Amino acid sequence: MRIATWNINSVRTRAQRAVDLLAKHDIDVLCLQETKVADAKFPREPFEEVGYHVTCHGLNQWNGVAILSKEEPEEVQTFFPGQPGFHKDPAKEQAREARAVSARVRGIEIWSLYVPNGREITDRHFDYKLDFLYSLARYAENRTQSKLLLTGDFNIAPWDEDVWDMSPFRGKTHVTEPERAAFQMLEEAGLVEVTRRFTEEDRWTYFDYKSLRFQKNEGMRIDFQLASEPLARLVEGAQVDMVERAGDKTSDHVPLIADFDVPDFASVR
């Protein structure tokens, strides 16, 4: 079973690129983040025409997540228990944003997640990011005996080697100790990041559009696939599709793909 995650940075802009990606890698499940579209305007047709079911959660032109699957999804959720909300004004309702969606496919509970960016370490958004991760870890802690997969854009570089150069990031988000500790909480909850050991050569999953970062190979590893132990044991390989990032008008993120030894739909039925 091939599962991929990709921060697409606008699904309406890159729907055909996603269709091509599905065909190129024969992907069973593609998790998308930052779709930037409300559900009513999600471009379902191109995906349905090539045989994929669309599960999406978008409220407006910001954030947004989706799961595209060959098989019909079950047990769809558009938030995880305890997921916090956010509004820049603390006096207003802190409503949940469209940052999480899950579906059960072939017995696996798959989440497409767009973790808050954090903006600046003095911003309320930074605290929101940490709260989001703490709540996610508490949820995962009670699910790790089943087949659980958390995929997506985590907006954290857990190790110094996950950025091309630490010096530009000193005092900024994505590399702070609180963020890294929050990511470690997910691992301590019983999750295993399953792509890293297969992708040491092509390890970056994000290149800023600015300053020719991609051309200079100045990237970051901030997209991950975190699996519960029963599922992590089934991983067979992973890859980062750098060719997609090299394309014209592509996303600033790179598709991250993992293969799991999971029976096909007919077998599990």
Side-chain angles (χ1 to χ4, degrees):
M1 183 177 184
R2 178 161 285 177
I3 302 175
T5 182
W6 187 26
N7 179 322
I8 196 170
N9 193 11
S10 177
V11 68
R12 286 183 290 182
T13 300
R14 300 184 174 87
Q16 187 56 52
R17 299 194 76 99
V19 169
D20 293 344
L21 186 77
L22 291 167
K24 175 183 176 182
H25 293 288
D26 191 20
I27 293 169
D28 294 291
V29 178
L30 174 59
C31 297
L32 299 175
Q33 302 86 43
E34 209 170 353
T35 55
K36 296 183 177 179
V37 63
D39 288 348
K41 296 183 178 180
F42 193 99
R44 293 173 170 270
E45 291 80 5
F47 304 111
E48 292 174 344
E49 286 174 359
V50 294
Y52 283 81
H53 298 270
V54 176
T55 303
C56 57
H57 179 42
L59 302 174
N60 46 43
Q61 73 272 32
W62 309 113
N63 308 313
V65 284
I67 298 174
L68 312 177
S69 57
K70 286 182 179 179
E71 295 154 21
E72 186 171 0
E74 300 175 331
E75 301 177 28
V76 171
Q77 301 178 73
T78 56
F79 64 91
F80 55 85
Q83 181 179 327
F86 179 79
H87 192 288
K88 63 181 178 180
D89 185 346
K92 294 188 176 180
E93 179 189 1
Q94 306 298 295
R96 286 196 197 98
E97 298 178 310
R99 292 185 175 274
V101 67
S102 77
R104 185 173 296 277
V105 181
R106 290 198 210 171
I108 303 172
E109 181 185 337
I110 302 171
W111 284 88
S112 179
L113 299 163
Y114 181 39
V115 174
N117 176 280
R119 298 177 184 168
E120 302 290 340
I121 59 176
T122 55
D123 196 295
R124 287 187 65 250
H125 208 260
F126 185 77
D127 294 330
Y128 167 48
K129 179 179 188 175
L130 296 178
D131 288 343
F132 187 98
L133 290 161
Y134 298 156
S135 298
L136 184 61
R138 286 194 293 271
Y139 175 72
E141 194 172 34
N142 297 317
R143 307 292 295 166
T144 52
Q145 297 307 306
S146 60
K147 291 177 181 176
L148 172 70
L149 184 65
L150 307 185
T151 72
D153 176 3
F154 285 78
N155 272 313
I156 297 173
W159 304 100
D160 286 358
E161 56 264 34
D162 291 332
V163 296
W164 84 93
D165 181 1
M166 275 294 294
S167 57
F169 293 92
R170 302 294 183 191
K172 297 182 180 180
T173 61
H174 291 54
V175 300
T176 67
E177 286 305 313
E179 290 166 291
R180 289 178 168 181
F183 189 91
Q184 187 176 352
M185 284 180 63
L186 293 169
E187 297 177 314
E188 290 173 350
L191 299 176
V192 179
E193 206 300 306
V194 297
T195 68
R196 183 184 291 274
R197 65 188 175 99
F198 298 103
T199 56
E200 287 302 319
E201 185 173 348
D202 288 331
R203 64 187 187 275
W204 309 136
T205 66
Y206 168 81
F207 297 87
D208 199 321
Y209 288 130
K210 301 174 184 177
S211 305
L212 298 175
R213 294 299 186 201
F214 181 72
Q215 290 79 356
K216 297 175 183 177
N217 196 33
E218 295 177 346
M220 305 175 68
R221 178 191 284 271
I222 59 175
D223 302 83
F224 300 98
Q225 296 206 28
L226 291 160
S228 60
E229 186 59 36
L231 182 60
R233 290 196 297 265
L234 304 179
V235 67
E236 297 181 317
Q239 59 182 298
V240 176
D241 187 352
M242 287 295 178
V243 174
E244 169 58 38
R245 181 60 181 86
D248 183 43
K249 297 181 180 178
T250 189
S251 172
D252 44 3
H253 286 254
V254 185
L256 177 63
I257 304 163
D259 293 322
F260 298 87
D261 182 16
V262 176
D264 62 23
F265 185 70
S267 298
V268 299
R269 288 301 190 197

